[in-house]
């Protein structure tokens, strides 16, 4: 995946193009740790999302933004510049996929900061998860994120993609060694996400959501 626009956290993802009826999917890579494995997982998932005819995909890499400043209803120019890298994509999205590792039994602080700096951008939209880690495959991070997104009035889909002992699944070029099972899991998760995204978009067109 060529991520050439490094002054922004947002990257358009090549794939099927189409009309405005396509669902807008924002894929968020939550790890910003030095030496992270996340780009291997995100490249794999983005290639699967690009095959879909029902989504147009935007990639948000939290390593390219800094939202660690204290929360404020009146952010200063520096914080506003960081928010401008991600807020438009969140607001425009019909659905989200959060790619998260598990750090110390939880998820990275960068994800929590992104969530906390926004509210209406999450409301009445579905969220799917791709997680990775050691024996737990990042699932403990996902279970905590489900509770937080519920507070944001978002809907998390049941089906996830999880990589246990993630490094062992990919070769030196970042290719999955045996992709049949994880590809099927990704298709199922995206199918569920598309159903909820379409249903909620249609519902909001009839009756705006008041959260």
């Amino acid at each position: 995946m060529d991520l050439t626009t490094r002054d922004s956290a947002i990257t358009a993802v090549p794939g099927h193009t189409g009309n405005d009826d396509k669902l807008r999917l924002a894929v968020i890579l939550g790890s910003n740790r030095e030496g992270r494995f996340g780009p291997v997982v995100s490249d794999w998932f983005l290639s699967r999302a690009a095959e879909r005819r029902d989504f147009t995909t935007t990639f948000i890499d939290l390593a390219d933004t800094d939202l660690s400043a204290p929360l404020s209803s009146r952010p200063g120019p520096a914080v506003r510049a960081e928010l401008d890298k991600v807020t438009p994509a969140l607001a425009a999205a019909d659905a989200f996929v959060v790619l998260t590792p598990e750090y110390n039994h939880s998820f990275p602080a960068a994800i929590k900061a992104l969530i906390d700096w926004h509210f209406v951008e999450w409301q009445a939209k579905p969220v799917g998860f791709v997680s990775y880690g050691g024996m737990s495959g990042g699932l403990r991070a996902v279970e905590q994120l489900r509770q937080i997104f519920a507070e944001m009035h978002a809907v998390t889909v049941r089906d996830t993609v999880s990589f246990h002992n993630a490094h062992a699944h990919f070769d030196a070029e970042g290719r999955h060694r045996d992709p049949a099972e994880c590809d099927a899991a990704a298709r199922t998760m995206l199918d569920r996400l598309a159903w909820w995204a379409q249903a909620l978009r249609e519902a909001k067109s009839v009756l705006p959501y008041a959260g």
Side-chain angles (χ1 to χ4, degrees):
M1 186 63 58
D2 181 17
L3 305 181
T4 56
T5 310
R6 306 311 293 177
D7 59 341
S8 173
I10 304 172
T11 305
V13 177
H16 293 293
T17 59
N19 55 37
D20 291 339
D21 290 336
K22 279 182 171 286
L23 298 165
R24 296 179 295 272
L25 176 66
V27 177
I28 301 165
L29 176 55
S31 173
N32 59 3
R33 176 180 282 183
E34 183 178 354
R36 62 191 177 150
F37 189 69
V40 174
V41 179
S42 66
D43 283 356
W44 167 81
F45 181 75
L46 290 169
S47 69
R48 273 55 186 175
E51 296 172 355
R52 304 282 299 209
R53 295 186 178 274
D54 46 358
F55 286 114
T56 180
T57 305
T58 299
F59 180 51
I60 301 173
D61 187 347
L62 295 187
D64 295 332
T65 190
D66 180 8
L67 295 177
S68 60
L71 293 172
S72 171
S73 60
R74 293 184 176 182
V79 177
R80 176 52 58 191
E82 296 299 309
L83 288 168
D84 286 346
K85 296 178 182 180
V86 294
T87 302
L90 298 182
D94 295 303
F96 306 99
V97 171
V98 177
L99 282 72
T100 182
E102 184 174 312
Y103 294 164
N104 301 322
H105 216 95
S106 188
F107 54 88
I111 297 178
K112 187 62 162 62
L114 180 74
I115 295 171
D116 288 349
W117 274 107
H118 300 90
F119 184 59
V120 297
E121 291 82 3
W122 307 115
Q123 286 186 340
K125 297 177 184 180
V127 184
F129 299 100
V130 176
S131 65
Y132 59 97
M135 290 299 294
S136 72
L139 291 175
R140 292 176 293 200
V142 169
E143 289 309 304
Q144 293 180 34
L145 283 167
R146 290 188 188 282
Q147 299 178 60
I148 294 168
F149 276 111
E151 186 67 17
M152 300 293 106
H153 296 253
V155 178
T156 61
V157 300
R158 173 191 179 277
D159 299 276
T160 65
V161 183
S162 177
F163 293 105
H164 303 257
N165 298 317
H167 289 76
H169 290 283
F170 295 85
D171 64 20
E173 284 71 44
R175 296 186 298 260
H176 199 282
R177 300 179 189 277
D178 186 15
E181 186 174 344
C182 61
D183 284 3
R187 284 194 298 272
T188 298
M189 189 261 286
L190 287 167
D191 286 346
R192 303 287 189 265
L193 206 63
W195 189 95
W196 278 103
Q198 186 66 42
L200 289 169
R201 186 164 75 173
E202 291 175 2
K204 287 181 288 186
S205 71
V206 176
L207 181 65
Y209 185 81

